Amino acid sequence: MKKTLRLATILSAGLMISQPLYAAESSERFVFVGYGDVKYESADVAGTDAFSARFVPIFLFSLNDKMHVEAELEVGLNADGETETELEYADIHYFLNDNTTITAGKFLLPFGQFSANWHPSWINRSIWTPGIYGAHGSSQAMDPMLPILSDVGVAAQQVYQVGSAKVFLDVFMTNGPRSEAEHDEEEVDDDHDIALARLFSPAASIDLDADEDEHGEAFPEVEFEATSSDNNSNKAFGGRIAVALLPSIEIGTSYYQGAYDENGQLDIKANGVDINLISTHAILRGEYIRTETDAFVERDHEDVIDSFSRNGWFLQGTFFIGHVFDGLGSTEIVIEHAQTKKVEEAERWMVGVNYWLDPRSVIKVGYEDTDVVDGPDDKRFAVQFSYGF
């Protein structure tokens, strides 16, 4: 089966160093892959102390040499013991040539690297999602900058060879974000699909008890849940450009913009920078995100559009101590630090120890400590068994 650009990007991130992803060319038209995990987690603020499990199958199907279909489902249990199934993505790729791919359907947006490439639990070196992103499988104390972005639309991917480097260019256009006020009849609480904060409705009055930014106004937020409809005539657009010297380094920058209100007057914009460094004994990954969210505010008894900003970052280091001390085998230490600034400020440290049973299954033990400036602090301990197939 012909490799898609998504799989090529994963390879560029250096995953083949310790856990090769099954993406080999095959004469078969259908390939079944995926991942899953079982986790025990104890969290102070949430008051939880429980086991959980997920199974995430990925279906790859080759229609012909030019077209490739992929889909991912996440199957898990909620707190009431009910089975929940979510369509992570379902899209079709059309290969114009060896370097150009057109994608249509529901897909993971190429914003940063974590959302599209690192979020599967057997690839993410931490048990938890970085604090600037939505939880994807577990709650977290930090209020994230963005969810793991997915939406319905079209995209194009282009790869250029520039000397010894590769340049990856991704652009997309999708239905875009919307106002949570339009969905009052349905409570949305999965921060895998939405940004975790109170969305300010332009028609509503400002809540003076809500979080405030430097303007002293309530901070707006936006719902990013992917749907087959659009609440305005505007589309979200953006993309990512990255330079890679494979397999050692990849540095990229991303952009996202979309109108979220019914009249298409209020935008959310996000800029990001990501880095992925691979060496013989360590991996260094990190992302920085800045968001600007428009909202109507009252100035001199008139409603005017103002912009509210946030920023945050995470840096994750993985050290292969088993390479230095033979007796430790496939053991690695993971240290991660994350911060969010300007409204709902928080800081998180995480330390973990991972032991690889084979190149696609790992046992993780982790502890994280989150300090929330205007909220309760949190401490968590978890053990997770993750596998890819």
Side-chain angles (χ1 to χ4, degrees), residues 297-344:
V297 298
E298 186 175 335
R299 296 281 190 268
D300 298 326
H301 306 290
E302 292 184 2
D303 284 341
V304 297
I305 295 177
D306 203 352
S307 183
F308 298 78
S309 66
R310 289 187 73 197
N311 63 78
W313 58 273
F314 82 90
L315 194 64
Q316 181 189 98
T318 303
F319 307 95
F320 309 136
I321 60 174
H323 293 186
V324 180
F325 304 100
D326 293 337
L328 296 178
S330 301
T331 303
E332 59 190 28
I333 293 177
V334 182
I335 300 174
E336 182 180 292
H337 184 51
Q339 287 189 10
T340 54
K341 300 285 189 178
K342 293 185 178 180
V343 185
E344 297 166 340

Side-chain angles (χ1 to χ4, degrees), residues 63 172 216 261 337 343 348 375:
L63 298 177
F172 60 83
D261 66 314
H337 184 51
V343 185
R348 184 175 79 174

Side-chain angles (χ1 to χ4, degrees), residues 252-272:
T253 181
S254 305
Y255 181 76
Y256 177 91
Q257 180 175 350
Y260 69 87
D261 66 314
E262 287 187 334
N263 297 322
Q265 296 177 280
L266 305 177
D267 282 357
I268 177 170
K269 304 179 185 70
N271 300 87

Side-chain angles (χ1 to χ4, degrees), residues 268-304:
I268 177 170
K269 304 179 185 70
N271 300 87
V273 177
D274 60 82
I275 186 170
N276 188 45
L277 302 177
I278 307 293
S279 71
T280 304
H281 303 300
I283 298 176
L284 183 65
R285 293 170 171 171
E287 294 190 25
Y288 169 85
I289 296 176
R290 175 182 172 85
T291 62
E292 295 281 343
T293 309
D294 294 341
F296 284 110
V297 298
E298 186 175 335
R299 296 281 190 268
D300 298 326
H301 306 290
E302 292 184 2
D303 284 341
V304 297

